[in-house]
Amino acid sequence: MHRLVLLLAFTAACSPPLTGSSHVAAVPDGGSHSPGSPGSTGSTGSTGSTGSTGSTGCTGSTGSTGSTGSTGSTGSTGSTGSTGSTGSTGSTGSTGDMANPPTGGPTGVTLIDEQFNSADGAPWPAPWVVAGGVAHADVNGGRGRFAPSLSSYSLARMAHPAPTGDTRYVNVEALYTISFADVSTSGAGFYVRHDGGYVFQPPPAPQGLGYCAFVAGFRNQLELWFETGGQEQQLLTVPVPLASQTPYRVRFRVTQSSSNTTHLAAKIWPASGAEPSAWMIQIDDHQPLLQNLVGGIATDGWSNFTSGSATPAADVFFADINLKNVQ
């Protein structure tokens, strides 16, 4: 999504498909889906220390034996001292970037279920709105179809707002289907915690804010990104084989793991096959503006064609979008 800067270490980061190294990549200098290098692997969180065990209470003293008389009375037995409480166990440090937590976990209510059931040619159903850069957007065969207008940065974005203040939209898991008319020139991004903004917008327009799973068809990668102030930044990439006219399922999970840490995880697989059990890519992020943020969702369609191209941008498709709250 975003203007990627060429790095010598990964020469083909935004040109025709490039095979990067699995899970590990250098932190990119710039922020765009165009030339830029993959993000770095997050470090492993430290394990919290174990709390100390409470001390054992002392044993009470034994009472003295009564003196002997005609019938000497027996002294009472001293009471036993109470046992000290056990110290609490220290908390565990946060999961490192490439840790592998369970795929599923308990989920709550469905927040968004978009099936694009309108007739072909109809607009994307409300409350979807154009956030920016859209040449055309309509319903096609039970899918939301759109393509970007050609510019120096050809990015189409459709936004679906969240109810104001609805904290169920902080920790979410999205499951959806994507496909490309021409995978070699296109990318498809899915944002959560999104503010409805667009890239490179001057105030007072929304500046673009959120976390994104980006399927970079043009370079055969699954990528994790964030956007703040309308500037996108790549966090991490992993190579995946992709093809045109082929539906893929994507699962994208974003959860608040501590007050200043959000965990992102994603995976992709052909819709005709079985879902992988493990996440393919994941990382912890600490962007202050994105922590505990209530936001909606957005879909991006990107093209590597720019202004002056004789060929229009190819269509990108989204379908079967389901967003659930993760408890």
Side-chain angles (χ1 to χ4, degrees), residues 147-232:
S149 303
L150 296 185
S151 65
S152 60
Y153 185 65
S154 302
L155 176 73
R157 178 172 292 172
M158 299 293 293
H160 187 301
T164 302
D166 191 339
T167 57
R168 295 177 301 170
Y169 284 78
V170 173
N171 297 314
V172 293
E173 183 172 286
L175 179 64
Y176 53 94
T177 301
I178 61 167
S179 56
F180 301 98
D182 180 7
V183 73
S184 68
T185 64
S186 304
F190 190 94
Y191 270 97
V192 300
R193 298 189 186 179
H194 194 259
D195 69 341
Y198 186 64
V199 293
F200 316 132
Q201 297 301 294
Q207 299 296 292
L209 197 69
Y211 284 119
C212 179
F214 184 62
V215 181
F218 60 98
R219 58 186 173 214
N220 288 283
Q221 291 186 162
L222 173 62
E223 305 173 354
L224 295 176
W225 292 70
F226 71 85
E227 181 178 15
T228 57
Q231 301 289 324
E232 297 174 304

Side-chain angles (χ1 to χ4, degrees), residues 234-283:
Q234 188 184 90
L235 291 169
L236 197 66
T237 74
V238 64
V240 292
L242 299 165
S244 300
Q245 310 290 340
T246 302
Y248 294 95
R249 294 288 272 168
V250 180
R251 190 180 294 275
F252 179 37
R253 187 179 176 100
V254 175
T255 53
Q256 195 72 39
S257 55
S258 72
S259 61
N260 65 349
T261 304
T262 295
H263 190 76
L264 291 77
K267 54 183 167 177
I268 184 172
W269 66 98
S272 59
E275 178 177 355
S277 59
W279 296 110
M280 296 175 65
I281 187 171
Q282 56 188 315
I283 195 169

Side-chain angles (χ1 to χ4, degrees), residues 13-66:
C14 187
S15 49
L18 126 82
T19 301
S21 61
S22 175
H23 295 283
V24 181
V27 176
D29 292 330
S32 71
H33 293 315
S34 54
S37 66
S40 64
T41 303
S43 61
T44 303
S46 60
T47 304
S49 59
T50 304
S52 60
T53 305
S55 59
T56 304
C58 60
T59 305
S61 59
T62 305
S64 60
T65 305

